[in-house]
Amino acid sequence: MNSMRFSLRKCCRFSSFSTSSSSLPWISPLEVIKANTPKADPPVETSDTCVDTRKRSKFISHGAAISLIKCEKEPQRALEIFNTVSEQKGFNHNNATYATILDKLARNKKFEAVDAVLRQMTYETCKFHEGIFLNLMKRFSNCSLHERVLEMFHKIHPITREKPSLKAISTCLNLLIESNQVDLAQNFLKYSNQHLRLKPNTCIFNILIKHHCKRGTLESAFEVLKEMKKSQMSYPNLITYSTLIDGLCKNGRFREAIELFEEMVSKDQILPDALTYNVLIDGFCRGGKVDRAKKIMEFMKNNGCNPNVFNYTTLMNGFCKEGKLQEAKEVFDEMKNFHLKPDTVGYTTLINCFCRAGGVDEALELLKEMKERGCKADIVTFNVILGGLCREGRIEEALGMLEKLWYDGIYLNKASYRIVLNFLCQKGELEKAIELLRLMLCRGFLPHYATSNELLVRLCKAGMAEDAAIALFGLVEMGFKPESDSWALLVELICRGRKLLFAFELLDELVIKESGTIQVP
């Protein structure tokens, strides 16, 4: 088949495909046509230049084309590569090259271009596989384009010339269920039953059980379980039971969760893994039964299933939530004694527990240990420590951490600065609050709306009119809209100090920035 190129006109409408002449070019959907552009005369070819051209030209294979497209960051350039290789004599795109360019376009949300490429695929003679469409379904789902998920499913048969497999059906159904698109999922199931003569396998039944558990309709979930047990081809597996046990725990039905667990092991001879045990441990911890959760972990160890980092972290988090710091630390130490490497979540969990109990020094030691063991602290870790320092009144250390981490290449978020600023406002540390506000605005962070107004009011009541005015100027520059009470208090204070020119300048600035949003008394 002759190669065809893709085209995207300036109005973003794609030209229709013509089958009457294979010589008509199909240019890239991302390439803007530059019509009637005069071209310079080509240089006169000599024998030497012809030899150089032949030396430079090299056939690009399918594998090389795929590598080039994957390595190219710009979707425009990737599509140009896709088009260019198709111009080679004897080269025809195949399933792999189409899959690569479609993934590149979908990742960059060039969905109109995706549609154009899909239309061209209907004219190709090569064999396509449904994996292309499963990937596109996931891309569209990630962008909350749920109707497009179904659209990709329905394109499988026309383009691959084969009925969608059970894997395709389960993938589509699962994406809709995960996105809480109940109506679309139900209509899709009806379609599958009527037109595809769907015979659900274990995977599809598990998706339905997950759907009912998420909605809290556990009786319907157990009806699905009964149907599974009747079928010879879709018997319940470990995922089935783990999903149901999780649903029972989340609804506070712990006795039934344990009974179902025992039924799984004794009747169906299905051995639980660390994930299934974690469902129980987490469920009992969330239900305030952390001592039962610890017994479950002991049972787990006695029955030959070694706990992993997630099991220990879940149990540790349960003790922390109940304020049982010593028990949490024992779990943490046991994890390390079994040569398991705590992750960032595990460290942060224990650091938070120490900070809440007033043990900031121990928390800082854990932070140091994290660095020594090569475990990278994240923003949540630092925010927890900042909150702990503030609660213990160690404000200078908190401010020092905000200043130092920036220069160490650790960039915190606005919540980090807000934690400290809120504390300064509450404690009336106005001069330090002004300094921190200046640092925040300089780094592009805007304080919380209520905190900003509170700071302005406190500055006015403290007679710091000039500081309040400067702070307001900076806040407005970042898009802040002050409350009318804050504005009125500030203007009154400025006028009382006979600084009317300053008040008028401030008023002009506010009107320019946000006309009509501030009521001037």
Side-chain angles (χ1 to χ4, degrees), residues 159-179:
I159 295 179
T160 66
R161 302 173 183 88
E162 290 183 354
K163 287 178 63 176
S165 66
L166 280 173
K167 181 180 180 181
I169 295 171
S170 61
T171 299
C172 185
L173 181 62
N174 189 52
L175 290 171
L176 294 173
I177 294 297
E178 285 288 338
S179 304

Side-chain angles (χ1 to χ4, degrees), residues 419-477:
I419 289 168
V420 183
L421 185 63
N422 289 347
F423 176 81
L424 290 172
C425 288
Q426 290 168 9
K427 297 298 180 181
E429 297 275 0
L430 299 182
E431 290 184 0
K432 291 177 181 177
I434 286 291
E435 288 298 318
L436 180 56
L437 177 64
R438 186 179 294 113
L439 181 65
M440 287 182 70
L441 297 178
C442 181
R443 293 179 178 177
F445 295 114
L446 186 66
H448 189 272
Y449 180 75
T451 305
S452 299
N453 279 294
E454 182 186 354
L455 177 59
L456 291 172
V457 169
R458 283 180 176 272
L459 288 170
C460 289
K461 289 183 177 179
M464 301 169 66
E466 188 172 344
D467 290 314
I470 293 171
L472 184 55
F473 271 119
L475 289 166
V476 170
E477 283 287 340

Side-chain angles (χ1 to χ4, degrees), residues 168-206:
I169 295 171
S170 61
T171 299
C172 185
L173 181 62
N174 189 52
L175 290 171
L176 294 173
I177 294 297
E178 285 288 338
S179 304
N180 204 30
Q181 299 297 307
V182 179
D183 293 337
L184 288 178
Q186 289 176 342
N187 292 335
F188 175 70
L189 271 177
K190 290 178 183 176
Y191 170 85
S192 299
N193 287 325
Q194 294 172 3
H195 299 280
L196 302 177
R197 297 180 181 179
L198 171 66
K199 293 182 180 179
N201 59 8
T202 301
C203 180
I204 291 174
F205 274 125
N206 284 344

Side-chain angles (χ1 to χ4, degrees), residues 267-478:
K267 289 186 179 180
D268 290 330
Q269 303 294 305
I270 298 174
L271 294 177
D273 60 6
L275 179 61
T276 308
Y277 278 111
N278 207 57
V279 168
L280 281 171
I281 293 168
D282 183 59
F284 277 88
C285 285
R286 288 178 182 273
K289 300 178 183 293
V290 68
D291 292 326
R292 290 289 305 277
K294 185 179 180 181
K295 289 180 180 178
I296 291 170
M297 182 175 279
E298 292 299 324
F299 177 86
M300 174 184 181
K301 290 185 285 188
N302 293 335
N303 283 272
C305 185
N306 295 323
N308 59 24
V309 172
F310 300 106
N311 300 132
Y312 279 110
T313 302
T314 302
L315 182 60
M316 189 167 57
N317 188 51
F319 280 123
C320 288
K321 285 185 175 179
E322 292 194 5
K324 297 180 177 180
L325 178 57
Q326 185 57 39
E327 289 88 341
K329 194 173 183 308
E330 287 173 3
V331 173
F332 185 76
D333 291 337
E334 181 183 317
M335 174 169 51
K336 291 193 293 184
N337 290 337
F338 279 104
H339 305 291
L340 292 173
K341 187 178 179 181
D343 59 6
T344 304
V345 176
Y347 271 110
T348 304
T349 299
L350 192 56
I351 286 172
N352 184 49
C353 196
F354 273 117
C355 287
R356 292 288 177 185
V360 177
D361 289 326
E362 290 86 345
L364 290 171
E365 283 299 315
L366 280 174
L367 182 64
K368 183 180 177 182
E369 181 182 309
M370 286 181 73
K371 188 175 181 179
E372 292 171 351
R373 289 174 172 260
C375 182
K376 190 176 181 180
D378 60 13
I379 292 174
V380 177
T381 313
F382 288 115
N383 286 354
V384 166
I385 289 178
L386 285 169
L389 288 170
C390 288
R391 281 191 295 274
E392 289 196 7
R394 297 161 65 170
I395 194 63
E396 292 297 338
E397 291 178 67
L399 290 169
M401 181 176 285
L402 288 176
E403 185 72 26
K404 182 177 180 294
L405 290 175
W406 178 274
Y407 293 106
D408 289 344
I410 300 170
Y411 303 109
L412 304 177
N413 59 11
K414 60 184 177 183
S416 314
Y417 295 88
R418 287 177 173 181
I419 289 168
V420 183
L421 185 63
N422 289 347
F423 176 81
L424 290 172
C425 288
Q426 290 168 9
K427 297 298 180 181
E429 297 275 0
L430 299 182
E431 290 184 0
K432 291 177 181 177
I434 286 291
E435 288 298 318
L436 180 56
L437 177 64
R438 186 179 294 113
L439 181 65
M440 287 182 70
L441 297 178
C442 181
R443 293 179 178 177
F445 295 114
L446 186 66
H448 189 272
Y449 180 75
T451 305
S452 299
N453 279 294
E454 182 186 354
L455 177 59
L456 291 172
V457 169
R458 283 180 176 272
L459 288 170
C460 289
K461 289 183 177 179
M464 301 169 66
E466 188 172 344
D467 290 314
I470 293 171
L472 184 55
F473 271 119
L475 289 166
V476 170
E477 283 287 340
M478 294 284 290

Side-chain angles (χ1 to χ4, degrees), residues 88-101:
Q88 299 176 112
K89 187 177 180 180
F91 185 98
N92 289 307
H93 282 296
N94 60 16
N95 179 81
T97 54
Y98 268 105
T100 306
I101 191 61

